[in-house]
mmCIF file of all heavy atoms in Angstrom:
data_model
loop_
_atom_site.group_PDB
_atom_site.id
_atom_site.type_symbol
_atom_site.label_atom_id
_atom_site.label_comp_id
_atom_site.label_asym_id
_atom_site.label_seq_id
_atom_site.Cartn_x
_atom_site.Cartn_y
_atom_site.Cartn_z
ATOM 1 N N ASP A 24 -2.480 12.344 -4.332
ATOM 2 C CA ASP A 24 -3.235 11.884 -5.501
ATOM 3 C C ASP A 24 -4.653 12.442 -5.495
ATOM 4 O O ASP A 24 -5.178 12.840 -6.537
ATOM 5 C CB ASP A 24 -3.266 10.358 -5.544
ATOM 6 C CG ASP A 24 -1.921 9.748 -5.862
ATOM 7 O OD1 ASP A 24 -1.029 10.476 -6.365
ATOM 8 O OD2 ASP A 24 -1.742 8.531 -5.606
ATOM 9 N N ILE A 25 -5.275 12.456 -4.321
ATOM 10 C CA ILE A 25 -6.622 13.020 -4.207
ATOM 11 C C ILE A 25 -6.594 14.497 -4.583
ATOM 12 O O ILE A 25 -7.428 14.962 -5.375
ATOM 13 C CB ILE A 25 -7.180 12.830 -2.776
ATOM 14 C CG1 ILE A 25 -7.471 11.350 -2.519
ATOM 15 C CG2 ILE A 25 -8.426 13.670 -2.562
ATOM 16 C CD1 ILE A 25 -7.767 11.024 -1.072
ATOM 17 N N ASP A 26 -5.631 15.225 -4.038
ATOM 18 C CA ASP A 26 -5.518 16.652 -4.346
ATOM 19 C C ASP A 26 -5.311 16.880 -5.839
ATOM 20 O O ASP A 26 -5.934 17.769 -6.430
ATOM 21 C CB ASP A 26 -4.357 17.280 -3.576
ATOM 22 C CG ASP A 26 -4.605 17.355 -2.080
ATOM 23 O OD1 ASP A 26 -5.769 17.210 -1.656
ATOM 24 O OD2 ASP A 26 -3.623 17.566 -1.335
ATOM 25 N N MET A 27 -4.446 16.065 -6.440
ATOM 26 C CA MET A 27 -4.145 16.236 -7.857
ATOM 27 C C MET A 27 -5.376 15.970 -8.727
ATOM 28 O O MET A 27 -5.709 16.768 -9.605
ATOM 29 C CB MET A 27 -3.012 15.305 -8.287
ATOM 30 C CG MET A 27 -2.631 15.492 -9.748
ATOM 31 S SD MET A 27 -1.812 14.089 -10.504
ATOM 32 C CE MET A 27 -2.917 12.744 -10.200
ATOM 33 N N LEU A 28 -6.059 14.859 -8.483
ATOM 34 C CA LEU A 28 -7.223 14.523 -9.304
ATOM 35 C C LEU A 28 -8.348 15.544 -9.160
ATOM 36 O O LEU A 28 -8.947 15.971 -10.154
ATOM 37 C CB LEU A 28 -7.742 13.132 -8.943
ATOM 38 C CG LEU A 28 -7.031 11.968 -9.584
ATOM 39 C CD1 LEU A 28 -7.490 10.661 -8.976
ATOM 40 C CD2 LEU A 28 -7.275 11.964 -11.076
ATOM 41 N N MET A 29 -8.622 15.940 -7.940
ATOM 42 C CA MET A 29 -9.704 16.892 -7.721
ATOM 43 C C MET A 29 -9.347 18.260 -8.313
ATOM 44 O O MET A 29 -10.196 18.941 -8.873
ATOM 45 C CB MET A 29 -10.021 17.024 -6.230
ATOM 46 C CG MET A 29 -10.502 15.737 -5.569
ATOM 47 S SD MET A 29 -12.015 15.066 -6.263
ATOM 48 C CE MET A 29 -11.454 13.489 -6.868
ATOM 49 N N SER A 30 -8.072 18.652 -8.216
ATOM 50 C CA SER A 30 -7.685 19.939 -8.803
ATOM 51 C C SER A 30 -7.726 19.887 -10.329
ATOM 52 O O SER A 30 -8.023 20.899 -10.975
ATOM 53 C CB SER A 30 -6.308 20.374 -8.314
ATOM 54 O OG SER A 30 -5.315 19.516 -8.794
ATOM 55 N N MET A 31 -7.450 18.725 -10.911
ATOM 56 C CA MET A 31 -7.550 18.600 -12.368
ATOM 57 C C MET A 31 -8.984 18.819 -12.823
ATOM 58 O O MET A 31 -9.233 19.501 -13.828
ATOM 59 C CB MET A 31 -7.051 17.226 -12.813
ATOM 60 C CG MET A 31 -5.556 17.071 -12.743
ATOM 61 S SD MET A 31 -4.982 15.396 -13.099
ATOM 62 C CE MET A 31 -5.546 15.182 -14.785
ATOM 63 N N VAL A 32 -9.934 18.248 -12.092
ATOM 64 C CA VAL A 32 -11.344 18.434 -12.447
ATOM 65 C C VAL A 32 -11.736 19.902 -12.294
ATOM 66 O O VAL A 32 -12.384 20.482 -13.175
ATOM 67 C CB VAL A 32 -12.258 17.533 -11.586
ATOM 68 C CG1 VAL A 32 -13.714 17.827 -11.868
ATOM 69 C CG2 VAL A 32 -11.956 16.067 -11.827
ATOM 70 N N LEU A 33 -11.332 20.503 -11.181
ATOM 71 C CA LEU A 33 -11.663 21.922 -10.972
ATOM 72 C C LEU A 33 -11.034 22.807 -12.036
ATOM 73 O O LEU A 33 -11.682 23.741 -12.530
ATOM 74 C CB LEU A 33 -11.204 22.370 -9.582
ATOM 75 C CG LEU A 33 -12.058 21.885 -8.422
ATOM 76 C CD1 LEU A 33 -11.416 22.286 -7.106
ATOM 77 C CD2 LEU A 33 -13.465 22.421 -8.519
ATOM 78 N N ASN A 34 -9.791 22.531 -12.393
ATOM 79 C CA ASN A 34 -9.137 23.312 -13.445
ATOM 80 C C ASN A 34 -9.896 23.206 -14.760
ATOM 81 O O ASN A 34 -10.078 24.205 -15.464
ATOM 82 C CB ASN A 34 -7.692 22.855 -13.645
ATOM 83 C CG ASN A 34 -6.779 23.328 -12.562
ATOM 84 O OD1 ASN A 34 -7.064 24.302 -11.876
ATOM 85 N ND2 ASN A 34 -5.670 22.633 -12.400
ATOM 86 N N ASP A 35 -10.341 22.013 -15.095
ATOM 87 C CA ASP A 35 -11.101 21.835 -16.326
ATOM 88 C C ASP A 35 -12.442 22.572 -16.263
ATOM 89 O O ASP A 35 -12.890 23.146 -17.256
ATOM 90 C CB ASP A 35 -11.317 20.357 -16.628
ATOM 91 C CG ASP A 35 -10.094 19.697 -17.220
ATOM 92 O OD1 ASP A 35 -9.073 20.395 -17.411
ATOM 93 O OD2 ASP A 35 -10.152 18.485 -17.502
ATOM 94 N N CYS A 36 -13.080 22.544 -15.086
ATOM 95 C CA CYS A 36 -14.342 23.277 -14.935
ATOM 96 C C CYS A 36 -14.137 24.764 -15.194
ATOM 97 O O CYS A 36 -14.895 25.384 -15.946
ATOM 98 C CB CYS A 36 -14.916 23.074 -13.535
ATOM 99 S SG CYS A 36 -15.611 21.451 -13.226
ATOM 100 N N PHE A 37 -13.116 25.325 -14.576
ATOM 101 C CA PHE A 37 -12.871 26.751 -14.746
ATOM 102 C C PHE A 37 -12.379 27.089 -16.150
ATOM 103 O O PHE A 37 -12.674 28.158 -16.673
ATOM 104 C CB PHE A 37 -11.907 27.258 -13.676
ATOM 105 C CG PHE A 37 -12.481 27.146 -12.286
ATOM 106 C CD1 PHE A 37 -11.733 26.607 -11.262
ATOM 107 C CD2 PHE A 37 -13.769 27.554 -12.017
ATOM 108 C CE1 PHE A 37 -12.265 26.495 -9.982
ATOM 109 C CE2 PHE A 37 -14.316 27.445 -10.752
ATOM 110 C CZ PHE A 37 -13.557 26.915 -9.734
ATOM 111 N N TYR A 38 -11.661 26.166 -16.758
ATOM 112 C CA TYR A 38 -11.232 26.367 -18.147
ATOM 113 C C TYR A 38 -12.444 26.440 -19.069
ATOM 114 O O TYR A 38 -12.523 27.307 -19.941
ATOM 115 C CB TYR A 38 -10.297 25.230 -18.565
ATOM 116 C CG TYR A 38 -9.780 25.355 -19.967
ATOM 117 C CD1 TYR A 38 -8.672 26.135 -20.248
ATOM 118 C CD2 TYR A 38 -10.407 24.690 -21.024
ATOM 119 C CE1 TYR A 38 -8.200 26.267 -21.544
ATOM 120 C CE2 TYR A 38 -9.948 24.816 -22.314
ATOM 121 C CZ TYR A 38 -8.846 25.603 -22.571
ATOM 122 O OH TYR A 38 -8.386 25.733 -23.847
#
Side-chain angles (χ1 to χ4, degrees):
D24 290 343
I25 290 169
D26 291 344
M27 182 203 54
L28 278 171
M29 298 299 118
S30 67
M31 287 174 62
V32 175
L33 285 175
N34 285 338
D35 282 359
C36 287
F37 296 133
Y38 181 84

